[in-house]
Amino acid sequence: MKRKFIEILGILASFMLFFAGCSADSSGGNNGITVAVKSVTLNKETLSLKEGSNETLIATVNPDDASNKTVTWDSSDTGVATVDGNGKVVAIKKGTTTITVTAKANTKKTATCIVTVTESTSPTTYECQNCHNSYDTQEKADNCSKQAGCPKYEAPVQTYTVTFDLNGGSGTAPESITKTSGTAITLPTTSSTKTGYKFNGWAETNNATSGTTGTYTVSKNVTLYAVWIAENAKTYKVSFMNGTTVISSSNVPENTSVTKPTDPTKDGDYKFDGWYSDAALTTAFDFSSKIAAETKIYAKFTLNTYPTKVPVVLPTPSETASTPEITYETSGATVTFKTTATGTLTWKVMKGLSYVPTGTANDSEKSFTVDCSKLDAGTYTVHLTAGSETNTKTFTIN
């Protein structure tokens, strides 16, 4: 009986071991047994990087079947180099730091790499995504479109207000006028009166003897004062002319001088060269002279001229890409670059790291023409981007 009992116990034990094994196998890897981390290694013990560069270290957790192979990364000096959760090391500035990788399952298991950062031989540059202008910081590149040199730049609309002061006259002053810079406004008339005086236009000072009537070009916040002259004062009309066109006019009391107006402008590439007393523009007008008759004063404009500058295209350096192909031809002060590349073509001119807003693209001709007459002397580079390919040509202006 005792023997039979022992045999039954043996059978029961066998069944228990069998079911325990099944349970362990059903739980997955390592038959339900936790495999501890024995060591962590790195693919490099030392690493040299230049400022601005990066490299990814590779960590290996041993044994290969360790239950938890998660690791963490740390830099002893993040001012020198940083490391992310994937082991990517980014060099910040010259110096030395230690990168440590640690097994999460056993923080005593670590590996280290000594990282030495040296100064970069060439500055790291960052490009504006709109015009590809280069900057020394990412922030400047991101803000490029806010700068006037970027083709995407949209100048803020500047508005100014012109207010009117009756300068001792009775009644209500005309309402203020707010316009964008460069707008010509019609100066208001006024029903204001001043005993013993008559209205003689508007001026920017409160003690003028002659004022402006007609139009006024808005260029600043300004107060215009009513000009009052003696009621019986004799005046003469003084007209400021651009050829046969009246720019503005003033009624000037006899035997007083006329106030010199602001310099006018002329459409096109012209510069203002002074006021003249004759239509032939031979005698400069003397603003200290006294007005004794109806007078016309003429503005002189001169077409801007530029010294002859012949561009010289330099040989292409051996390291420059061969595609997309760029050819060129020069004619006087212009140089025209051409290509046979297909697709969307983007041309730009750089001087060093600075974008130069110049050049005219002709998409149908696949060309880009630069007028060098208005450029400063120096070395320039034309960049052509066609799809994913970029090529350059360099030229100088003496």
Side-chain angles (χ1 to χ4, degrees):
M1 184 72 176
K2 184 176 181 180
R3 182 177 178 183
K4 196 73 172 176
F5 178 73
I6 293 172
E7 289 178 353
I8 292 171
L9 287 177
I11 292 172
L12 288 173
S14 298
F15 273 106
M16 290 176 68
L17 289 172
F18 172 77
F19 283 113
C22 290
S23 176
D25 288 343
S26 67
S27 65
N30 301 316
N31 294 324
I33 301 172
T34 299
V35 179
V37 175
K38 293 183 178 180
S39 66
V40 180
T41 59
L42 284 170
N43 61 319
K44 291 186 176 182
E45 294 182 354
T46 60
L47 176 63
S48 294
L49 295 173
K50 291 187 180 296
E51 291 176 340
S53 62
N54 66 81
E55 185 171 330
T56 299
L57 295 173
I58 300 173
T60 302
V61 177
N62 300 303
D64 188 55
D65 60 346
S67 298
N68 186 351
K69 303 178 75 173
T70 305
V71 297
T72 59
W73 298 85
D74 180 68
S75 170
S76 64
D77 190 343
T78 55
V80 173
T82 60
V83 63
D84 66 11
N86 297 313
K88 181 180 178 180
V89 180
V90 178
I92 306 299
K93 69 176 182 179
K94 182 180 179 181
T96 301
T97 186
T98 300
I99 302 297
T100 302
V101 61
T102 303
K104 196 169 184 179
N106 186 347
T107 56
K108 293 182 179 180
K109 305 300 181 182
T110 63
T112 59
C113 176
I114 306 299
V115 177
T116 302
V117 178
T118 58
E119 292 181 338
S120 177
T121 54
S122 59
T124 301
T125 59
Y126 304 86
E127 282 197 347
C128 167
Q129 296 306 303
N130 291 325
C131 67
H132 304 292
N133 197 359
S134 297
Y135 295 92
D136 58 355
T137 67
Q138 186 64 55
E139 181 181 7
K140 291 179 182 178
D142 293 340
N143 290 329
C144 178
S145 60
K146 299 177 183 178
Q147 311 300 320
C150 181
K152 297 292 183 178
Y153 171 73
E154 295 183 4
V157 177
Q158 185 66 61
T159 60
Y160 296 106
T161 299
V162 179
T163 57
F164 299 92
D165 188 317
L166 293 180
N167 198 18
S170 63
T172 303
E175 292 185 357
S176 298
I177 299 175
T178 299
K179 294 290 183 180
T180 57
S181 181
T183 301
I185 63 172
T186 300
L187 291 172
T189 56
T190 179
S191 58
S192 174
T193 60
K194 186 177 180 180
T195 304
Y197 294 87
K198 61 182 178 181
F199 177 70
N200 195 34
W202 301 94
E204 293 185 6
T205 60
N206 62 3
N207 58 355
T209 56
S210 62
T212 299
T213 58
T215 61
Y216 177 85
T217 301
V218 178
S219 62
K220 59 186 176 181
N221 292 318
V222 65
T223 296
L224 297 182
Y225 297 89
V227 176
W228 301 100
I229 59 175
E231 195 168 19
N232 59 356
K234 185 176 183 179
T235 61
Y236 294 103
K237 184 176 182 180
V238 175
S239 301
F240 294 94
M241 311 293 293
N242 176 13
T244 58
T245 302
V246 177
I247 301 173
S248 63
S249 62
S250 298
N251 291 315
V252 181
E254 186 178 31
N255 293 323
T256 63
S257 60
V258 63
T259 302
K260 182 179 179 181
T262 56
D263 292 347
T265 59
K266 181 179 179 180
D267 291 340
D269 197 12
Y270 289 89
K271 63 180 178 179
F272 174 67
D273 261 351
W275 295 104
Y276 285 76
S277 58
D278 60 314
L281 306 176
T282 58
T283 305
F285 182 79
D286 180 6
F287 279 91
S288 66
S289 61
K290 306 302 181 182
I291 300 298
E294 298 285 324
T295 304
K296 290 183 178 180
I297 303 173
Y298 298 86
K300 180 179 180 180
F301 294 96
T302 305
L303 184 65
N304 280 315
T305 59
Y306 303 92
T308 302
K309 298 178 180 178
V310 179
V312 177
V313 180
L314 303 177
T316 302
S318 59
E319 65 268 18
T320 300
S322 59
T323 57
E325 179 188 19
I326 303 176
T327 58
Y328 68 91
E329 56 186 33
T330 59
S331 176
T334 65
V335 55
T336 300
F337 299 90
K338 296 183 177 181
T339 184
T340 57
T342 58
T344 302
L345 305 179
T346 302
W347 302 86
K348 68 172 181 177
V349 177
M350 303 289 290
K351 187 177 184 182
L353 298 179
S354 299
Y355 168 78
V356 181
T358 188
T360 303
N362 185 325
D363 293 337
S364 62
E365 297 290 335
K366 297 183 179 182
S367 66
F368 184 71
T369 300
V370 179
D371 181 0
C372 300
S373 64
K374 300 178 183 179
L375 298 178
D376 295 332
T379 300
Y380 298 81
T381 303
V382 170
H383 293 246
L384 167 63
T385 300
S388 60
E389 297 182 318
T390 299
N391 201 0
T392 62
K393 281 287 186 184
T394 301
F395 64 95
T396 62
I397 301 174
N398 296 322

